[in-house]
Amino acid sequence: MTDWLTYNSLIVLQGVTLLGACSGVIGCFAVLRRRSLVGDALAHASLPGVCLAYLIIGEKHFFAMLIGAFLSGLLGIGFLAILRKFTRIKEDAGIAILLSVFFGAGIVLRSVIQQMPASGRAGLDSFIFGHSAGIVQSDVHWITGLSAGTLLIVLLCYKEFRLVAFDPEFAQVQGWPARLLDFALMLLLLGAVVIGLPAVGILLMAAMLIIPAAAARFWTQRFSFLLLLSAGAGMGSGIVGTILSAKFGVPTGACIILVCAAFFFISLLFAPGRGVVARILARQRNNLALQAQMKAGEEPPP
Amino acid sequence: MNAMHTVDSSAAPTIKHAVKVPILDVHDVTVAYHRKPVLWDIDLTLTQPCLLGIVGPNGAGKSTLIKAILGLVPLVSGSVQIFGQPVTSQRKRIGYVPQRESVDWEFPVSVLDVVLMGTYGSLGWFRRPGATEKAWARQCLDMVGLRDLEDRQIGQLSGGQQQRTFLARALAQQADVYFMDEPFAGVDAATERAIFSLLVNLREQGKTVLVVHHDLRTVPAYFDQVALLNVRLVGSGPTATVFNEGNLRQTYGGRLAVLETLSQAVEAQERTK
Ligand SMILES: Nc1ncnc2c1ncn2[C@@H]1O[C@H](COP(=O)(O)OP(=O)(O)OP(=O)(O)O)[C@@H](O)[C@H]1O
Ligand SMILES: [Mg+2]
């Protein structure tokens, strides 16, 4: 009955919990900085790196594939920067170009790998669709270390990152290296994407960044709570999604994202203050109170 | 040749000490976006603390001039010094009120959070604002009359209140020179008077305030110095001498819509004289 709750699945759960927290927190910055689509593009841009790492090492080596993903994402960031600096191509068009060109290159490399006799190419597809059950203990060490590192950096530079995300020009006038901090945020975004890939997959990684942040936004107006709630939503959907996926034998990434989406719709409907239900109720209550006042012939409040 | 240069530059500091160091020295500044020049060869020197109004039509480059001075846009040529030093070394003495549209007001921060950002410069890396900073930020909120709204998310403020939040953040910077981009935009008459008296306060404390301003009628009453800008600097100096019909015509071109305002402005000036 509880055969899915093995030692290895506990290990996996530890991994997805941390990576959920990580994408929840970094996702907030991405959404507020209007970089949700950049997250999607970076996820897709990582595929050629993953494939090249596989080709070079000759087998599925978890950390090498993460490094490959990171490097090719870095190339993607450079590509966007060059487009912005030297052409007048609009940001969204640039992102679309990056996403499709890099992903296309990745698909070509993947088919090269699939024509090779070597086994273990399933490891590649787990990066595309997300497959946390394939994650083993040594992988989780990497995920844990990298997530913890990312969260620590955010904790340390909380004030600086928030300032740059809100008003980069003011930050620069105040003497902060605003460009550098902004680039650091971009690197953390790439980091969160890369960490999440093995469990969530390239195709759905952007949702993992955006949806927890969007759901959390319904519950709070404070930045610190937003980060905490979003981290919580990311962790929650990581855990529940992984368990459901193991139980029903469906891809992990999809399960995690569906749980995320459930969190989002619950927030959309039922969050106090900003949720749909709360808004409708508040409007009715206010209208009734005002109508009663009008009937009583009172003056409007100042 | 080379030797002479060396002598020149080493002699310069002693001369500078003899003369008063200008608060702001904009020298031959040209700025272009892509190939289109937006500021052309601007020279502007302020030696005395003052309230300076920067006036000109839409697209004249007023915001760009402020950004160029603050190092936010690259210069094609020219140089800027504040208190005789490059701007990068004078950050702590500079206060900035950007145009209101420059940030996302849906951002999840409270009014107090935003004002506290003004203290980040003196806090330095990693340190979080503490009780002292909060008390000071509240004092700044008091000065702009927003103390009651300190916990509001900034998107739930009116335009005038948002403007005053930015002003309070700049006050929290405790700077010596302030750059304000349209602090009077979209505020009602009472708020405008309150903001203006704040500026006068700053001026009385010996600070210099540069203000981008659109309402020509109030220029003579508000500013002791003005800079008339339309890509080129048409004129700058004491309002009484520079703010005249000829210069205004040159700044605004022959545009009919403003001509009426112009004559009103000049009338207002006559009255203040
Ligand atoms: N980022 C930019 N890229 C390209 N052109 C720009 C950019 N920012 C400003 N410009 C152009 O530079 C010129 C000056 O702009 P600026 O914002 O400095 O004008 P302004 O005097 O502040 O106008 P306003 O009164 O409308 O605020 C305008 O013609 C504008 O179109
Ligand atoms: Mg402007």
Side-chain angles (χ1 to χ4, degrees):
Chain A
M1 197 190 87
T2 53
D3 54 339
W4 47 272
L5 201 64
T6 58
Y7 175 71
N8 194 53
S9 35
L10 283 180
I11 291 286
V12 168
L13 282 183
Q14 181 199 335
V16 289
T17 310
L18 270 164
L19 80 82
C22 189
S23 28
V25 168
I26 299 300
C28 286
F29 284 102
V31 169
L32 289 171
R33 198 71 191 73
R34 293 168 196 242
R35 280 206 185 126
S36 319
L37 288 176
V38 178
D40 197 22
L42 291 183
H44 284 76
S46 68
L47 186 58
V50 172
C51 294
L52 277 177
Y54 184 94
L55 280 172
I56 292 169
I57 305 270
E59 57 169 10
K60 190 192 168 205
H61 184 289
F62 187 77
F63 188 60
M65 282 157 100
L66 288 194
I67 293 281
F70 189 85
L71 290 181
S72 104
L74 209 57
L75 208 64
I77 293 176
F79 178 79
L80 278 183
I82 287 171
L83 281 190
R84 189 175 319 127
K85 195 157 168 89
F86 296 108
T87 73
R88 288 211 195 175
I89 295 174
K90 294 271 182 294
E91 183 92 20
D92 56 343
I95 289 170
I97 295 172
L98 167 67
L99 186 152
S100 37
V101 170
F102 276 60
F103 194 62
I107 294 291
V108 170
L109 286 171
R110 173 173 167 268
S111 69
V112 170
I113 292 172
Q114 279 179 331
Q115 281 153 23
M116 298 192 330
S119 61
R121 61 194 178 209
L124 264 186
D125 280 2
S126 75
F127 269 82
I128 297 181
F129 295 109
H131 180 65
S132 61
I135 297 174
V136 297
Q137 188 163 8
S138 62
D139 303 350
V140 170
H141 287 323
W142 287 115
I143 294 180
T144 306
L146 291 171
S147 308
T150 304
L151 292 174
L152 253 164
I153 293 174
V154 172
L155 203 65
L156 195 65
C157 298
Y158 172 79
K159 159 177 127 250
E160 289 78 7
F161 284 149
R162 189 180 70 166
L163 177 66
V164 166
F166 174 62
D167 193 345
E169 291 198 332
F170 184 82
Q172 203 180 332
V173 170
Q174 235 179 6
W176 299 102
R179 298 244 170 78
L180 204 72
L181 283 166
D182 204 38
F183 184 64
L185 273 178
M186 191 73 132
L187 286 186
L188 290 177
L189 175 61
L190 175 58
V193 165
V194 169
I195 296 166
L197 286 185
V200 182
I202 286 170
L203 297 179
L204 294 174
M205 193 53 219
M208 190 65 196
L209 293 165
I210 301 164
I211 301 178
R217 191 67 183 83
F218 281 103
W219 300 85
T220 181
Q221 301 274 28
R222 303 198 77 90
F223 193 76
S224 49
F225 291 159
L226 181 75
L227 293 192
L228 285 177
L229 287 177
S230 178
M235 286 197 278
S237 29
I239 294 170
V240 178
T242 305
I243 292 177
L244 288 180
S245 118
K247 206 163 161 52
F248 298 109
V250 284
T252 325
C255 266
I256 294 179
I257 297 308
L258 287 178
V259 177
C260 258
F263 277 135
F264 177 79
F265 283 112
I266 291 170
S267 311
L268 172 74
L269 287 175
F270 302 115
R274 306 184 103 211
V276 173
V277 174
R279 272 174 200 240
I280 292 174
L281 288 180
R283 168 131 38 93
Q284 277 181 350
R285 211 172 335 126
N286 291 340
N287 285 356
L288 285 177
L290 287 173
Q291 281 163 10
Q293 261 182 325
M294 277 164 70
K295 277 207 192 99
E298 283 173 34
E299 289 291 302
Chain B
M1 246 324 245
N2 254 336
M4 260 179 68
H5 266 289
T6 334
V7 172
D8 268 1
S9 57
S10 66
T14 43
I15 295 170
K16 265 191 187 155
H17 277 291
V19 188
K20 202 167 176 298
V21 179
I23 295 164
L24 172 70
D25 190 11
V26 177
H27 184 66
D28 284 349
V29 162
T30 295
V31 174
Y33 289 114
H34 305 291
R35 284 213 49 203
K36 182 173 156 253
V38 182
L39 291 176
W40 190 259
D41 201 18
I42 307 286
D43 278 292
L44 181 66
T45 307
L46 302 178
T47 48
Q48 298 291 328
C50 63
L51 270 180
L52 173 90
I54 302 174
V55 176
N58 289 133
K62 304 179 295 295
S63 300
T64 307
L65 175 60
I66 286 189
K67 287 184 180 174
I69 293 172
L70 297 176
L72 296 175
V73 295
L75 308 182
V76 172
S77 70
S79 64
V80 175
Q81 290 197 325
I82 289 184
F83 299 110
Q85 305 280 326
V87 179
T88 43
S89 68
Q90 301 292 311
R91 297 286 191 199
K92 294 220 164 71
R93 302 180 74 178
I94 297 174
Y96 181 38
V97 177
Q99 241 172 313
R100 183 150 51 86
E101 300 77 44
S102 66
V103 302
D104 170 16
W105 291 94
E106 286 302 309
F107 204 90
V109 284
S110 68
V111 173
L112 185 66
D113 285 334
V114 172
V115 178
L116 276 171
M117 287 174 187
T119 67
Y120 286 7
S122 55
L123 272 177
W125 283 94
F126 311 131
R127 271 185 59 209
R128 306 280 170 85
T132 336
E133 284 77 23
K134 283 195 179 136
W136 169 237
R138 293 206 167 97
Q139 233 172 302
C140 295
L141 275 173
D142 258 335
M143 287 188 247
V144 300
L146 284 185
R147 182 65 196 278
D148 299 337
L149 302 181
E150 65 170 55
D151 282 328
R152 281 257 183 108
Q153 192 266 328
I154 52 172
Q156 295 166 358
L157 299 176
S158 74
Q161 290 165 341
Q162 291 176 343
Q163 200 70 66
R164 281 187 280 161
T165 305
F166 266 179
L167 213 61
R169 179 176 71 171
L171 293 176
Q173 289 184 277
Q174 296 185 279
D176 293 317
V177 196
Y178 288 90
F179 297 85
M180 305 189 176
D181 204 342
E182 303 196 24
F184 296 111
V187 304
D188 62 22
T191 309
E192 175 156 343
R193 269 195 302 280
I195 294 179
F196 176 60
S197 70
L198 267 175
L199 301 190
V200 172
N201 251 335
L202 289 173
R203 165 75 190 75
E204 277 164 1
Q205 291 166 34
K207 315 211 160 176
T208 297
V209 190
L210 285 79
V211 180
V212 174
H213 192 57
H214 266 301
D215 186 358
L216 294 177
R217 283 163 303 182
T218 49
V219 167
Y222 284 2
F223 304 108
D224 45 28
Q225 299 268 323
V226 351
L228 295 172
L229 189 72
N230 191 351
V231 184
R232 296 160 195 273
L233 192 66
V234 175
S236 70
T239 312
T241 54
V242 176
F243 195 72
N244 57 42
E245 189 155 356
N247 277 342
L248 281 172
R249 267 181 203 287
Q250 211 182 323
T251 311
Y252 284 86
R255 282 199 266 154
L256 286 172
V258 288
L259 285 184
E260 197 183 339
T261 338
L262 286 187
S263 50
Q264 278 174 7
V266 174
E267 258 172 49
Q269 161 125 19
E270 304 286 272
R271 256 181 277 128
T272 45
K273 269 184 199 164

